[in-house]
Amino acid sequence: MKIIPKSREAISGTGAVTPSLVKNVTELKKLPVRLKVQFDGSAVYVPENLMDKFVIRGGNPLLGTIRVSGAKNAALPAMAAAILTDETLVLENIPDVRDIQTERNLLVSMGAEVELGYGRAHHRTTISCRSLVNPEAAYELVKTMRASTLVLGPLVARMGRARVSLPGGCAIGARPIDLHIKGLEQLGATIRQEHGYIEASADRLRGGHIAFDKITVTGTEDLMMAAALAQGETLMENCAREPEVVDLAVLLNKMGAKIEGAGTSTIRIKGVSKLGGARHRIIPDRIEAGTFVIAAALTGGDLTITNCDPLHLNALLQKLEECGVTTTTTGDSIRVKNGHRLKAADMSTEEYPGFPTDMQAQYMALATQAEGTSIITENIFENRFMHAQELVRMGANIKVEGSRAIVRGHTPLSGAAVQCSDLRASASLVIAALVAEGETILDRVYHIDRGYERIEEKLRGANGQIRRIGEMLPKRTQVPAGVA
Ligand code: EPZ
């Protein structure tokens, strides 16, 4: 078997890359590669799932049960929290999604030992940051996942220094991290910005007063972790109240931190000199659960979403009630049995406990099938309507005016070739395709793999007609001469 050296350059040199793929070199470089053994025994590296697409045939109601995975947006800060201690963290319910792989690679690049426990009971993952040698988050990783910046506070707090790449632009908005930096300075860190990197240092952080100019989820999490090891007390005001922030505070307190008020806009942290190991089960993914609730409502199915926390979805369930969708909840499940026509209802995204921006795209798909006009206002991110034009390609009637989208329903959708642009936009296109007439081909599904664990298998298990197709590579590929 002929093995091609593992380098991205090798990809473009292998001839296995079609001209259209070359066009995506920038995307290509962001993606992990995998070895593909060809029928003639030669082996080439191809991008992990760059080529993957979904083929979805609409028309089936979703029926039965879907089990929700752990929350990506709770798992990422929890894994970063491991930096704060030289003891081992055991985290359960970690979702098997690509962003977790990226976080793992980031921690390993610093010298951590990370064992992702997929398939093991409870998806138990162990992380030890006993011997961190390289307090750096490199651009190569940060540019694939902005949440990598969550290591900034913990590194300065534990190691006294950090070098973290600035995340750069993002499909949904500018998303600066100025509030993370300002907060760290208020805890006594010295910050320099050079060559696209933040260089932060402090002998020991000291308690301070942080009043966020704007509510920021990862900003609250990053500084809560930093303040946990600071000298003295920190008061943080205008904090994010998301369930993921609360879950992180629960973990940190298990590690020996003294944090009060998480879940409210005022958090008090008494710094301690050392944090220990802990075992913690990550909360379920409320956005994944919400995505399936909307899919069930739209397809007119009878679906029970289990292993979720309905209380985390109050704003969504109330809005759906306005649209005529009835749901029944228990402590850890939501049943959606919807047979009647959907009614239009306006919606504005807000910080928690308001309607989550991460559910806006999925709600837009629903609004295309509701009787009447829905005005959707996006208040959190300045460019989060990329899915609108793709839905229009499927026959929807949507007009975007700045931060507002005017959706006129009900307009029948028809299957089409559409393209994912970001994680939640992809989810909205999957949902729309489930009710469209005919077949939809969804391109760039690597966006959805970032935050949904095997979504096509879960939907197929609930009567959805969806399959993943990969490797649209040319039939025969020869390893070009000269490539060792
Ligand atoms: C978190 O992102 C989530 N990501 C996002 O989910 C989610 O959309 C967002 O919160 C809002 O709920 C994770 O938890 C990993 P923010 P985050 O800081 O923390 C501005 C998904 O789909 N801002 O709360 O990056 C910012 O530009 C992702 O899973 C500053 O101006 O969002 C935005 O307009 C997408 N300066 C607003 O605040 C800062 O320093 C809220 O952003 C920080 C933020």
Side-chain angles (χ1 to χ4, degrees):
M1 174 159 70
K2 214 166 151 193
I3 301 277
I4 305 286
K6 185 171 179 141
S7 73
R8 282 184 202 356
E9 285 62 44
I11 299 173
S12 49
T14 63
V17 177
T18 60
S20 68
L21 185 57
V22 171
K23 182 162 62 56
N24 296 319
V25 152
T26 42
E27 297 286 337
L28 187 64
K29 290 199 174 143
K30 284 187 192 168
L31 290 173
V33 295
R34 70 182 142 144
L35 192 61
K36 176 177 165 46
V37 179
Q38 316 236 84
F39 51 83
D40 62 2
S42 69
V44 291
Y45 280 98
V46 294
E48 176 71 33
N49 59 0
L50 178 77
M51 314 303 284
D52 287 8
K53 299 175 193 282
F54 283 161
V55 179
I56 305 172
R57 178 166 288 283
N60 278 20
L62 291 182
L63 304 169
T65 302
I66 290 185
R67 184 183 161 76
V68 165
S69 304
K72 164 183 81 78
N73 290 347
L76 294 172
M79 291 173 77
I83 294 169
L84 293 166
T85 176
D86 55 5
E87 294 175 23
T88 301
L89 267 200
V90 180
L91 299 173
E92 292 175 356
N93 205 24
I94 296 284
D96 183 3
V97 295
R98 198 146 54 75
D99 274 9
I100 298 297
Q101 298 284 353
T102 307
E103 182 84 359
R104 176 203 165 278
N105 298 346
L106 175 61
L107 292 171
V108 168
S109 75
M110 297 176 188
E113 288 154 37
V114 183
E115 226 186 302
L116 292 175
Y118 298 141
R120 251 203 238 147
H122 308 296
H123 275 347
R124 191 169 298 126
T125 288
T126 57
I127 307 176
S128 162
C129 293
R130 194 179 41 248
S131 39
L132 287 188
V133 286
N134 168 34
E136 174 166 327
Y139 176 61
E140 283 300 321
L141 285 167
V142 174
K143 74 176 178 193
T144 65
M145 182 183 75
R146 324 177 52 72
S148 313
T149 52
L150 275 165
V151 300
L152 181 60
L155 282 173
V156 181
R158 163 102 187 279
M159 313 279 291
R161 64 193 173 86
R163 185 167 189 270
V164 172
S165 167
L166 278 163
C170 169
I172 65 175
R175 302 183 75 183
I177 57 166
D178 56 319
L179 301 176
H180 299 232
I181 296 165
K182 193 172 163 203
L184 267 181
E185 282 173 335
Q186 282 159 324
L187 297 180
T190 310
I191 308 254
R192 272 175 329 110
Q193 188 180 324
E194 212 170 59
H195 310 303
Y197 278 76
I198 299 291
E199 310 250 358
S201 60
D203 296 341
R204 178 155 185 213
L205 294 173
R206 59 174 191 278
H209 178 208
I210 299 172
F212 290 103
D213 306 332
K214 214 173 175 179
I215 294 176
T216 160
V217 177
T218 50
T220 302
E221 294 165 342
D222 196 9
L223 295 161
M224 193 162 70
M225 290 191 275
L229 277 179
Q231 180 118 45
E233 187 159 328
T234 297
L235 173 66
M236 301 208 305
E237 292 183 295
N238 198 25
C239 299
R241 293 183 273 163
E242 269 68 2
E244 294 77 22
V245 172
V246 177
D247 198 43
L248 178 63
V250 171
L251 166 62
L252 293 170
N253 282 343
K254 280 183 188 171
M255 294 166 71
K258 294 190 169 51
I259 300 172
E260 287 164 9
T264 75
S265 23
T266 305
I267 300 177
R268 262 177 214 288
I269 304 140
K270 287 200 184 74
V272 296
S273 54
K274 189 175 177 345
L275 290 169
R279 175 190 288 268
H280 181 65
R281 182 176 177 78
I282 299 292
I283 56 172
D285 196 316
R286 62 193 168 100
I287 306 298
E288 185 194 12
T291 302
F292 293 133
V293 167
I294 287 195
L298 211 44
T299 59
D302 179 356
L303 184 71
T304 303
I305 295 117
T306 60
N307 189 43
C308 64
D309 185 340
L311 295 176
H312 291 167
L313 286 162
N314 273 345
L316 172 70
L317 299 182
Q318 279 161 15
K319 182 55 65 181
L320 291 182
E321 208 168 316
E322 268 180 65
C323 300
V325 178
T326 35
T327 55
T328 340
T329 62
T330 67
D332 67 352
S333 76
I334 303 170
R335 182 172 177 194
V336 187
K337 195 165 181 312
N338 183 48
H340 18 260
R341 261 263 187 262
L342 297 162
K343 287 178 286 179
D346 296 349
M347 180 279 281
S348 298
T349 63
E350 286 161 41
E351 295 87 359
Y352 193 86
F355 193 100
T357 171
D358 293 349
M359 284 303 304
Q360 176 258 97
Q362 300 92 316
Y363 184 78
M364 186 183 282
L366 181 129
T368 66
Q369 300 309 295
E371 293 294 351
T373 301
S374 314
I375 297 180
I376 295 175
T377 309
E378 174 55 55
N379 293 314
I380 308 295
F381 293 110
E382 60 277 18
N383 182 35
R384 203 169 202 179
F385 286 140
M386 302 282 276
H387 40 283
Q389 284 323 307
E390 297 300 307
L391 289 169
V392 167
R393 279 180 49 71
M394 297 175 76
N397 180 340
I398 306 170
K399 204 157 171 296
V400 172
E401 293 169 355
S403 64
R404 290 185 344 146
I406 296 125
V407 185
R408 291 194 174 77
H410 139 87
T411 54
L413 299 179
S414 60
V418 290
Q419 190 154 288
C420 303
S421 53
D422 62 79
L423 172 59
R424 307 304 172 184
S426 328
S428 121
L429 298 177
V430 167
I431 293 173
L434 289 170
V435 287
E437 183 265 320
E439 211 168 69
T440 295
I441 311 262
L442 212 60
D443 196 1
R444 296 187 180 188
V445 296
Y446 57 80
H447 282 290
I448 211 165
D449 291 334
R450 290 192 53 181
Y452 289 88
E453 184 174 315
R454 284 186 283 286
I455 190 169
E456 78 277 17
E457 290 172 21
K458 292 190 179 186
L459 287 170
R460 226 180 9 252
N463 198 34
Q465 295 186 82
I466 173 170
R467 62 194 164 86
R468 176 186 294 259
I469 54 171
E471 296 157 344
M472 310 293 279
L473 290 174
K475 275 269 161 289
R476 284 189 73 76
T477 53
Q478 288 307 319
V479 179
V483 176

